[in-house]
Amino acid sequence: MPAIGIDLGTTFSCVAVVKNGQVEVMQNDRGNRITPSYVAFTETEQLVGDAAKDGATNNFKNTVFQSKRLMGRAYDDTNVQSDIATFPFEVIKGSDDKPIIKVTHRNATRELCPEEIGSMVLRSLQETAQAFLGEKIRDVVITVPHYFNDAQRTATKDAATIADLNVLRLINEPTAAAIAYGLDKANNDLKTILIFDLGGGTFDVTIAKVKDRNIDVLATGGDTHLGGEDFDNRMVEHFAREFLKKEGISIYKNPRAMSRLRKACEHSKRILSSATQENVIVDALCDGIDFKGVITRAKFDDLNSDLFDQTIDTVEKTLNEAGLKADEIDDVVLVGGSTRIIRIREMLGELFEDNKIRKTINPDEAVAYGAAAFAANLTNDVTNEIEQFTISDVTPLSLGFEVRGRDMCTVIKRNSKIPITNHSSPTTAFDNQTSVHFKIFEGERPATKDNHLLGSFVIDELPPQPKGVPTFDTKFHIDSNGILTVSAYHADTGQQKEITIAYGKERLSTTRIKRMQTAAEMFKKADDEYRAQSEARNKLEDFVYTVKKSGNSRTAKQTILESDRQTILKKCHETEKWLEYHSAAEKNEIECEHKKLKDLCSKYSLL
Ligand code: ADP
Ligand code: MG
C-alpha cells in the first residue's frame, strides 16, 4: 500500500504519490491538480473542493473555507477573533473554548469543529488518490506551516484521524518544498536556498542549506495574513468604488454582490500573470445592473504595491536573521499560487539575480511533491533518487517554563534543530514551599504574560525545605513531528510528572474524535445514498424520455396495437407524476418504478 503526500493548504490543497519511482501529482474528479480547501453544506448534500467553491456565492453562509486558520486555536485567541470577523459563515464558542462552525445542512443546524472540516478535505484528497491508484490508501505525510505550534500540529493529526488516515509524519511546508528542490537540482553541491511561499492567505520565507539530501533550516519569517486573497480584495475595493461612482450603487454591504465580484476579480488576476490587460465582467451585479471593468497589469501592481513591498521587506529581514546577504543565496524557490504574479518575480529578480529564481518547480505542487517523496522515503517505497533524505528542522518559537510567577525561563531556544532534548534544574522560590506549579510557555518575550501558555502540571507534597534546596530535573523533548513532551522529576520524593503538550485544552479528546469519526461516516453514508438516489432518478427520467420518444415513433404506431401503445404512454405519464410527487424516494423505490415501466415495454415489445 503506497503512502501519499498531502499539502493541506489554507486555500488550496494538493495530493501526490511516488509511483514507479516518479512523483505524480494526482487529479481530482474535475481533472484539477489542486483542490480548493472548501466544504459546503446544502439541503441535500455535503460538497468538498471545486463543487463547494463554485456554489459559494449562492450559499455563502454554509460554505466553509480557511478552517486551517482556526485549527488548534482557542476561540478567544485574537487571531481567531479577527478571522471570524471576516468569515461569512458563523463561528461560535464551543463548550471547551474551541471555535465551532455552525452551518445548516439538510435543513438542520450542524456544529462542526475546524478539525472536522479539515478531515473532510483530507478525505476527498484520499478519495482522489484511491481513484488514481485503485487501492485503499491510509498512510500519509501531511505538511503544516513551519510556525504551527503543538496544538495546531495535533489538530492536524486529529483531522487525519477523523478521516481514518494514518499520519506517518507531519513535515513543515518549506521542508517539503526543499525536498522538491533537492530532487530537481542537477548536482549535490551545498546550496543555500530561499523558499518564497506566497499562497492564498499566508506568506512564508525560509532560508535553508541543502546538500546531499540533507536539509538544514537556518531561519524563517513571514506573515500569516498576507496572500492572494488580499490582492483580490484590493481589486474588489477598486471596482466597488468604480461601480458606486458610475451607477450610484454601493455594494459593500451586499455579500452576494461582493462575493460575485471577488470571484471575477480572482479570475482576472490569474490572467494578468500572462496577459497585460483583462476585463472583469459580472452580469446583474446589483439591482439588475451589469458590471464591466478593465484592469491592466500596471493598475493591479499599483493597487498592491505596498503589499508587494512588504514581502520583499520580510525577505530582507529573514536574510538578516540568518546573517546572510542576498548574493549568498544560490537559488530562490517559488512556492504558492501567488508567486505567478509577474511583479513579484521581477522584484525578487531585482533583489537576487534573475537567473537564481528557479522556474522549473511548479509553485502549486512543490509542497505536495516533497511530501510524497518523503512519504515514499518513510515506507521504503523508494528509488535511489528519493531515498536518503534526512531533514533537519528547527523550532519556530522558544519553549520554557515560568519562574518567580512571571518570568520566562527558556529551555529550548527558537530555531533549535529538532528532534531535541534539553534539561534544566529549577528549584523553589520560597522557603518551605510544598508544591511547585510548572507552567510551560512558548514565545520570545521575557515576561510569561506576553507568551503563549501551552500547559501546566504540579508537583506537590514536597517536604518543607529552605528555598533553593529542592531540585527538579526538567526535561523538554520535541520529537520529529514537532510535538513537545515536558517532564519534571523530583529525586528526593521520586515524584515524576509529564505532559505532552498535545494534550492541552486546545486538543480534542479521544472520545470526541471517535464521535466525529462516527458523524463523518454517517454523513458520508447519507451522501452516498443521496448520490445513488439521484443517479437512479436520472436513469429513470432518461428512460421515460426514451420510451415516450419511441412510443410516439412511426414504427411503434405501425407495429404496436394502439391500445397497448396508449397503455405505455399512460404509464410514462404516471411515472413522471410519481417522480414529481416522490422527490425523496429511495434508490430501490425508484428502481422498482423503473422495472415496472421496463416490464410493460417488454410485454408489448417496445424497445
Ligand atoms: P495556499 O495558500 O492554500 O497554499 P496556493 O499556494 O495554492 O494556496 O495559492 C493560492 C493563491 O494563488 C490564490 O489566492 C490564487 O488566486 C493565487 N493564484 C493562483 N494562480 C495564480 C496566477 N496565475 N496569478 C496570480 N495568482 C494566482
Ligand atoms: Mg501552500
Side-chain angles (χ1 to χ4, degrees):
M1 182 171 77
I4 56 176
I6 290 182
D7 167 10
L8 184 62
T10 312
T11 56
F12 283 93
S13 295
C14 183
V15 56
V17 69
V18 172
K19 197 178 171 193
N20 305 326
Q22 294 287 325
V23 180
E24 302 248 17
V25 172
M26 295 175 272
Q27 294 179 358
N28 65 21
D29 54 357
R30 291 269 186 101
N32 295 328
R33 293 159 73 92
I34 57 174
T35 299
S37 308
Y38 275 60
V39 179
F41 301 90
T42 73
E43 279 177 15
T44 49
E45 60 190 322
Q46 181 174 298
L47 303 164
V48 183
D50 293 299
K53 194 174 179 191
D54 283 351
T57 52
N58 293 321
N59 186 27
F60 52 87
K61 284 203 168 128
N62 301 307
T63 303
V64 184
F65 54 89
Q66 298 206 356
S67 63
K68 185 171 169 180
R69 291 195 183 280
L70 304 176
M71 292 224 292
R73 289 186 189 266
Y75 180 82
D76 292 323
D77 184 324
T78 47
N79 292 306
V80 170
Q81 283 302 309
S82 60
D83 285 333
I84 291 177
T86 67
F87 290 154
F89 50 88
E90 193 181 354
V91 182
I92 57 167
K93 185 170 176 160
S95 51
D96 47 1
D97 198 26
K98 280 172 65 70
I100 298 289
I101 297 147
K102 205 168 157 185
V103 294
T104 306
H105 182 209
R106 305 169 136 243
N107 300 318
T109 301
R110 198 169 160 201
E111 293 184 357
L112 298 130
C113 67
E115 289 87 335
E116 277 178 288
I117 301 290
S119 79
M120 290 164 186
V121 176
L122 288 171
R123 202 181 269 271
S124 122
L125 299 167
Q126 175 192 30
E127 280 165 9
T128 293
Q130 287 176 172
F132 177 81
L133 295 164
E135 58 183 309
K136 177 111 184 106
I137 299 295
R138 286 206 67 229
D139 293 340
V140 56
V141 167
I142 302 178
T143 59
V144 290
H146 183 263
Y147 56 80
F148 255 27
N149 66 22
D150 257 4
Q152 292 168 302
R153 285 168 199 265
T154 309
T156 307
K157 278 191 148 183
D158 288 345
T161 311
I162 298 168
D164 198 26
L165 286 167
N166 171 39
V167 179
L168 298 176
R169 188 80 76 88
L170 296 178
I171 64 172
N172 290 333
E173 288 161 13
T175 308
I179 293 176
Y181 165 83
L183 293 174
D184 181 65
K185 84 183 157 101
N187 56 45
N188 285 341
D189 299 344
L190 173 71
K191 299 267 186 187
T192 307
I193 62 170
L194 183 134
I195 300 164
F196 183 98
D197 181 351
L198 189 59
T202 57
F203 171 50
D204 294 291
V205 180
T206 310
I207 299 174
K209 281 191 188 301
V210 180
K211 184 180 180 345
D212 293 340
R213 315 259 172 267
N214 288 313
I215 297 157
D216 211 339
V217 177
L218 302 180
T220 62
D223 185 337
T224 52
H225 284 85
L226 179 61
E229 292 182 347
D230 298 296
F231 312 147
D232 302 343
N233 284 337
R234 288 284 170 93
M235 278 175 81
V236 171
E237 285 161 23
H238 168 71
F239 285 125
R241 239 178 288 134
E242 198 174 288
F243 194 66
L244 176 64
K245 213 152 90 195
K246 215 162 122 201
E247 310 291 346
I249 301 170
S250 163
I251 62 163
Y252 297 100
K253 295 223 159 61
N254 179 337
R256 189 174 131 79
M258 288 293 272
S259 145
R260 290 181 66 218
L261 181 58
R262 183 168 295 114
K263 198 169 170 180
C265 286
E266 200 234 353
H267 179 78
S268 305
K269 172 190 75 174
R270 287 173 186 251
I271 292 172
L272 290 180
S273 297
S274 50
T276 53
Q277 179 171 325
E278 175 62 10
N279 294 329
V280 178
I281 297 169
V282 187
D283 290 338
L285 176 62
C286 199
D287 296 347
I289 299 173
D290 296 342
F291 175 78
K292 186 166 186 294
V294 179
I295 184 111
T296 60
R297 192 188 288 164
K299 182 69 198 173
F300 174 75
D301 293 347
D302 182 44
L303 289 171
N304 290 295
S305 67
D306 58 318
L307 299 176
F308 293 174
D309 286 346
Q310 232 168 289
T311 66
I312 300 297
D313 287 349
T314 304
V315 167
E316 284 176 335
K317 242 191 259 159
T318 314
L319 280 169
N320 236 336
E321 269 206 26
L324 293 172
K325 298 214 165 37
D327 62 6
E328 290 173 276
I329 298 291
D330 298 307
D331 278 313
V332 176
V333 181
L334 301 178
V335 179
S338 300
T339 59
R340 293 188 191 278
I341 294 171
I342 308 284
R343 183 66 196 134
I344 297 273
R345 293 192 173 198
E346 280 170 4
M347 289 169 88
L348 286 169
E350 285 159 20
L351 178 61
F352 302 97
E353 279 156 36
D354 222 6
N355 61 7
K356 287 188 180 171
I357 315 291
R358 282 299 267 239
K359 303 221 168 77
T360 46
I361 299 167
N362 185 327
D364 302 319
E365 300 171 0
V367 172
Y369 193 101
F374 197 75
N377 184 358
L378 290 175
T379 48
N380 293 325
D381 186 10
V382 291
T383 61
N384 291 337
E385 267 301 276
I386 292 167
E387 202 164 20
Q388 324 91 348
F389 265 104
T390 61
I391 52 183
S392 158
D393 243 310
V394 296
T395 54
L397 296 167
S398 296
L399 295 157
F401 54 86
E402 186 178 75
V403 289
R404 288 179 293 276
R406 56 172 192 279
D407 295 338
M408 175 83 172
C409 170
T410 298
V411 181
I412 296 179
K413 278 218 190 82
R414 174 183 170 185
N415 279 342
S416 298
K417 289 201 171 63
I418 60 164
I420 185 173
T421 307
N422 276 1
H423 292 262
S424 166
S425 311
T427 178
T428 49
F430 310 104
D431 287 339
N432 303 326
Q433 203 175 318
T434 52
S435 74
V436 177
H437 193 176
F438 287 88
K439 289 188 183 169
I440 319 301
F441 285 86
E442 64 180 1
E444 310 312 311
R445 308 287 296 277
T448 47
K449 71 174 172 38
D450 300 318
N451 291 332
H452 178 220
L453 178 67
L454 293 171
S456 69
F457 57 82
V458 175
I459 291 195
D460 49 13
E461 292 173 13
L462 299 170
Q465 279 181 315
K467 71 172 183 178
V469 174
T471 51
F472 304 88
D473 175 27
T474 314
K475 187 169 95 177
F476 278 59
H477 171 71
I478 305 178
D479 70 11
S480 43
N481 290 319
I483 291 184
L484 170 71
T485 309
V486 179
S487 65
Y489 175 64
H490 182 237
D492 290 354
T493 57
Q495 276 195 79
Q496 161 123 12
K497 286 277 168 68
E498 179 176 292
I499 52 168
T500 296
I501 300 298
Y503 288 94
K505 71 170 181 181
E506 282 149 355
R507 165 140 214 231
L508 297 168
S509 67
T510 343
T511 39
R512 194 118 174 241
I513 292 179
K514 272 265 164 299
R515 218 163 56 219
M516 289 170 186
Q517 281 174 334
T518 320
E521 287 299 327
M522 198 177 84
F523 279 105
K524 183 170 183 323
K525 212 169 141 230
D527 282 352
D528 288 347
E529 267 165 24
Y530 171 76
R531 283 188 199 110
Q533 190 185 332
S534 153
E535 207 173 292
R537 180 170 286 271
N538 285 346
K539 269 195 199 145
L540 180 52
E541 280 168 1
D542 282 351
F543 185 60
V544 173
Y545 174 82
T546 317
V547 174
K548 266 167 63 179
K549 206 166 151 204
S550 45
N552 281 320
S553 69
R554 194 181 309 154
T555 336
K557 285 179 185 157
Q558 286 166 355
T559 53
I560 302 176
L561 210 63
E562 183 58 18
S563 60
D564 295 348
R565 203 175 67 86
Q566 287 306 333
T567 311
I568 294 173
L569 291 176
K570 189 159 157 266
K571 182 71 194 160
C572 284
H573 182 70
E574 281 167 13
T575 311
E576 279 173 334
K577 279 275 163 251
W578 184 89
L579 279 167
E580 198 179 318
Y581 290 116
H582 295 82
S583 58
E586 283 177 15
K587 181 176 174 240
N588 54 358
E589 293 175 303
I590 300 169
E591 282 173 350
C592 181
E593 288 303 307
H594 195 132
K595 189 166 181 302
K596 281 191 215 156
L597 181 61
K598 202 167 168 195
D599 290 348
L600 194 70
C601 290
S602 329
K603 184 171 160 197
Y604 297 123
S605 317
L606 180 74
L607 294 175

